[in-house]
């Protein structure tokens, strides 16, 4: 029995493009395709950069290409689907000053947005918003928005500049984790505003504009409704940590972890800010939205399909023969914190 026998694929980021679910693994240097019918994970290729755990935090699609957003990786990676070719674009790490106490090399960027022939890459702890041209693959570093919000930071913490984003009408909202200020950035003209939200919190974890005002989540897991200068704390939501969201025209659905470390969905009416809490077994890290699917990624790397009626269907991931063969030359790890002994033993028996 080889080491491949116990390999359990763990997806860290994914995107649905050209009718295919594409994912990058956190525990192997591998781009994969995932079947939404049976959870079978097929090997596509190896990233042309040094392997690290959790290399990418997000993937976006633009004109036949996938763009991989670096988290621990030191490069942006682009994959041309039709040509089956990878391209790595090294980051300009020299922009990080030696005295920058916010930068964390394993949490560089958190999100990307595709807009026409550009991809905007949003930082976690890197001191710039990146603008990637999909025509010539040049990268512009927009330091001014981050520099402006940095002026309002009193004490750096371990969370970086931003950890959650929300987009509405091509405006990206980024709550600063170290102040009560929000960066509002336009994908259309690259202009930005710094907005002060007067909430009783050390920093803003996430912010969501509603019909009248904003819903704000703090880094201390407290929630506020802010309308002009009136700020109301929502005690019923205290203790929940937002990880992602999806939405309809009428409702905003926030994915949050509660005190028991299981996920809940907070369903919020955009018109009047009324809300309800939907509880379920399991823990969700991210949600990927498309015209046909809402697919959640669990903290263990499994997939959860969110049906149209709100029901959840788990989709365990199974490595194909091509993936098991490929990882013999791709570095990989098994995370004992997210793989139970029972699952581990089942995998051994299955492939022995």
């Amino acid at each position: 029995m080889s080491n491949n026998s116990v390999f359990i694929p763990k997806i860290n980021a994914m995107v649905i493009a050209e009718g295919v679910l594409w994912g990058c693994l956190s525990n192997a240097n591998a781009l994969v395709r995932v079947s939404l019918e049976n959870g079978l994970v097929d090997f596509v290729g190896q990233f042309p950069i040094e392997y690290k755990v959790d290399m990418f935090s997000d993937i976006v699609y633009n004109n036949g290409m996938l763009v991989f957003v670096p988290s621990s990786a030191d490069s942006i990676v682009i994959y041309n689907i039709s040509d089956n070719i990878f391209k790595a674009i090294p980051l300009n790490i020299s922009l990080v000053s030696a005295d920058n106490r916010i930068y964390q090399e394993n949490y560089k960027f958190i999100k990307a947005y595709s807009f026409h022939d550009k991809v905007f890459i949003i930082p976690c702890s890197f001191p710039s918003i990146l603008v990637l041209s999909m025509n010539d693959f040049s990268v512009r570093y927009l330091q001014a928005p981050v520099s402006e919000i940095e002026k309002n930071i009193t004490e750096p913490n371990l969370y970086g500049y931003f950890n959650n984003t929300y987009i509405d009408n091509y405006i990206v909202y980024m709550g600063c984790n170290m102040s009560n200020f929000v960066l509002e950035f336009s994908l259309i003209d690259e202009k930005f505003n710094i907005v002060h939200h007067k909430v009783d919190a050390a920093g803003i974890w996430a912010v969501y504009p509603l019909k009248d005002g904003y819903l704000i989540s703090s880094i201390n897991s407290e929630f506020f409704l802010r309308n002009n200068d009136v700020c109301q704390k929502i005690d019923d939501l205290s203790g929940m940590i937002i990880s992602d969201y999806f939405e309809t025209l009428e409702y905003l659905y926030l994915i949050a972890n509660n005190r028991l470390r299981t996920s809940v969905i907070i369903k919020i009416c955009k018109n009047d800010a009324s809300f309800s809490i939907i509880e379920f077994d399991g823990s969700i890290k991210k949600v990927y939205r498309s015209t046909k699917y809402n697919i959640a990624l669990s903290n263990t790397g499994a997939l959860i399909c969110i049906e149209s009626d709100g029901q959840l269907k788990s989709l365990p991931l199974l490595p194909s023969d091509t993936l098991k063969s490929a990882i013999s030359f791709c570095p990989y790890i098994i995370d004992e914190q997210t793989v139970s002994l029972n699952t581990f033993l089942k995998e051994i028996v299955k492939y022995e």
Side-chain angles (χ1 to χ4, degrees), residues 92-220:
N92 186 358
I93 303 297
S94 66
L95 292 178
V96 182
S97 62
D99 60 348
N100 188 323
R101 293 189 292 160
I102 299 170
Y103 175 70
Q104 300 177 65
E105 63 178 357
N106 289 331
Y107 303 96
K108 297 179 181 73
F109 298 90
I110 56 166
K111 189 72 177 173
Y113 294 97
S114 179
F115 182 73
H116 297 315
D117 59 351
K118 300 175 185 176
V119 170
F120 292 84
I121 301 177
I122 307 301
C124 174
S125 69
F126 196 90
S128 299
I129 295 173
L130 308 189
V131 186
L132 170 65
S133 168
M134 298 305 293
N135 294 322
D136 60 9
F137 305 122
S138 60
V139 180
R140 287 188 291 118
Y141 290 76
L142 304 182
Q143 297 177 273
V146 180
S147 296
E148 283 299 311
I149 202 138
E150 198 172 36
K151 294 176 182 178
N152 300 293
I153 294 174
T154 55
E155 183 62 32
N157 58 34
L158 298 178
Y159 297 107
Y161 297 103
F162 315 109
N163 262 281
N164 281 274
T165 64
Y166 177 82
I167 187 168
D168 183 46
N169 290 325
Y170 304 108
I171 302 292
V172 181
Y173 296 81
M174 297 166 262
C176 179
N177 297 322
M178 295 166 284
S179 71
N180 288 333
F181 289 80
V182 170
L183 173 60
E184 299 180 358
F185 180 83
S186 170
L187 302 183
I188 297 175
D189 55 16
E190 301 180 14
K191 294 181 179 179
F192 66 92
N193 291 316
I194 307 294
V195 181
H196 188 199
H197 289 270
K198 300 175 182 179
V199 296
D200 185 17
I204 295 177
W205 184 257
V207 59
Y208 305 96
L210 304 175
K211 181 180 178 180
D212 297 312
Y214 297 84
L215 175 71
I216 297 170
S217 169
S218 77
I219 63 168
N220 299 322

Side-chain angles (χ1 to χ4, degrees), residues 14 25 32 58 77 91 114 161 262 322:
M14 65 184 186
L25 301 186
V32 297
D58 195 19
V77 174
L91 295 171
S114 179
Y161 297 103
T262 58
T322 56

Side-chain angles (χ1 to χ4, degrees), residues 28 59 65 101 110 129 133 150 209 221 242 247 286 338 351:
I59 311 171
M65 288 173 279
R101 293 189 292 160
I110 56 166
I129 295 173
S133 168
E150 198 172 36
S221 304
I242 301 297
E247 62 183 331
K286 298 178 182 178
T338 57
Y351 301 124

Side-chain angles (χ1 to χ4, degrees), residues 10-25 30-44 59 61 66 68 79 81 286-290 292-297 301-306 315-317:
K10 181 180 177 183
I11 291 181
N12 191 55
M14 65 184 186
V15 68
I16 301 170
E18 299 187 3
V20 175
L21 192 154
W22 307 85
C24 58
L25 301 186
L31 170 63
V32 297
R33 277 188 298 259
V34 182
S35 168
L36 294 176
E37 299 299 322
N38 54 26
L40 195 65
V41 183
D42 278 326
F43 179 76
V44 176
I59 311 171
Y61 175 82
L66 304 178
F68 296 84
Y79 175 69
I81 295 175
K286 298 178 182 178
V287 174
Y288 294 83
R289 300 159 287 275
S290 74
K292 293 180 63 176
Y293 304 104
N294 276 318
I295 298 181
L297 177 62
L303 300 184
I304 301 172
C305 297
I306 303 177
L315 187 68
L317 300 177

Side-chain angles (χ1 to χ4, degrees), residues 159 163-166 177 204-208 215-224 237-246 252-258 262-268 284-287 289 299:
Y159 297 107
N163 262 281
N164 281 274
T165 64
Y166 177 82
N177 297 322
I204 295 177
W205 184 257
V207 59
Y208 305 96
L215 175 71
I216 297 170
S217 169
S218 77
I219 63 168
N220 299 322
S221 304
E222 295 177 323
F223 285 77
F224 304 88
L237 298 181
S238 293
M240 297 185 185
I241 303 172
I242 301 297
S243 60
D244 207 349
Y245 75 93
F246 61 98
L252 178 67
Y253 297 83
L254 303 181
I255 306 297
N257 292 321
N258 60 21
T262 58
S263 292
V264 298
I265 298 177
I266 306 171
K267 180 181 178 182
I268 302 171
I284 290 178
K285 179 168 65 172
K286 298 178 182 178
V287 174
R289 300 159 287 275
N299 284 324

